Amino acid sequence: GTILSVYAFGMLASTESRLLQSVLYGSGDARTPAIYATIRVAASAIVGIGLMLPLDAIQAGVEGFTVVGDFDWSIASVAERQASENLLRMGGAGVAIGGAFGAWCELGLLRIRVRILYGPTRILGRHARPLLVATGVAAVMGLAARWWVASIGVPARIDAVVVLGVIGVTYLAVTRLQGVPDAKDLLRRVNLG
């Protein structure tokens, strides 16, 4: 879960980077996005490898995080890596941090290039506030739904469907109430709005 959370930090940057790459491709500039993607990979590798080895000394367990080795640049032996107590080491989080770092570097470079060509850009566009509000409300409702289904003993597969359904419906309803055009369009297409 920790490693996925770190990867999630780079998702917004990756998403907007793809949009800005399309802007540059549309203007006939395929070279610049390729250069920036190469820089992203290099930055991700340098930071990821730089953090992977030291973070491999941290183990995630039921009790929390504990240090099980030295914060150094050595690679653990195969026997050490395959020991059952070391299966949840945090070296992978270093790679995830590197990936997120690279994604944000690429986004920064792309935003500068697009700003030079077309003017300023905004993350999430003009609907940033309603989308963030909807995300927050949906997260709270998802946590409440998760607590509720756990308290009544719903099986795990049904639990996931219920919780994800609550999150999706809440997000759609809140964005619709705030006047986000995409939410209105979607509801109109399915004859609900």
Side-chain angles (χ1 to χ4, degrees):
T2 302
I3 295 172
L4 288 176
S5 299
V6 174
Y7 272 120
F9 179 68
M11 285 177 59
L12 180 60
S14 294
T15 302
E16 185 162 348
S17 290
R18 297 310 156 262
L19 295 171
L20 295 179
Q21 284 175 350
S22 296
V23 168
L24 293 176
Y25 292 146
S27 69
D29 182 6
R31 185 172 182 260
T32 302
I35 292 170
Y36 293 167
T38 303
I39 292 170
R40 172 190 181 150
V41 170
S44 296
I46 290 167
V47 172
I49 292 170
L51 291 175
M52 178 182 67
L53 295 175
L55 287 177
D56 207 40
I58 299 173
Q59 175 182 325
V62 176
E63 303 84 31
F65 296 100
T66 56
V67 177
V68 294
D70 296 327
F71 285 102
D72 61 15
W73 299 97
S74 64
I75 298 174
S77 69
V78 173
E80 208 177 34
R81 288 189 168 281
Q82 292 177 349
S84 62
E85 69 273 6
N86 293 336
L87 293 178
L88 297 174
R89 305 265 298 254
M90 297 307 297
V95 175
I97 292 168
F101 176 79
W104 283 99
C105 287
E106 180 185 34
L107 175 59
L109 293 169
L110 287 166
R111 289 186 78 188
I112 291 168
R113 182 66 181 149
V114 170
R115 185 180 308 126
I116 289 168
L117 294 174
Y118 300 106
T121 62
R122 291 175 39 185
I123 293 179
L124 298 178
R126 66 177 190 241
H127 300 293
R129 186 166 299 160
L131 295 176
L132 292 173
V133 167
T135 301
V137 173
V140 169
M141 293 300 293
L143 290 171
R146 175 70 183 102
W147 173 81
W148 178 71
V149 295
S151 70
I152 62 171
V154 174
R157 289 184 179 162
I158 296 171
D159 168 326
V161 171
V162 170
V163 172
L164 291 174
V166 167
I167 291 170
V169 168
T170 302
Y171 183 83
L172 187 58
V174 173
T175 53
R176 170 65 176 94
L177 288 171
Q178 295 186 94
V180 175
D182 291 338
K184 289 179 182 179
D185 274 352
L186 178 62
L187 289 171
R188 188 173 52 246
R189 288 181 189 186
V190 293
N191 295 319
L192 294 175

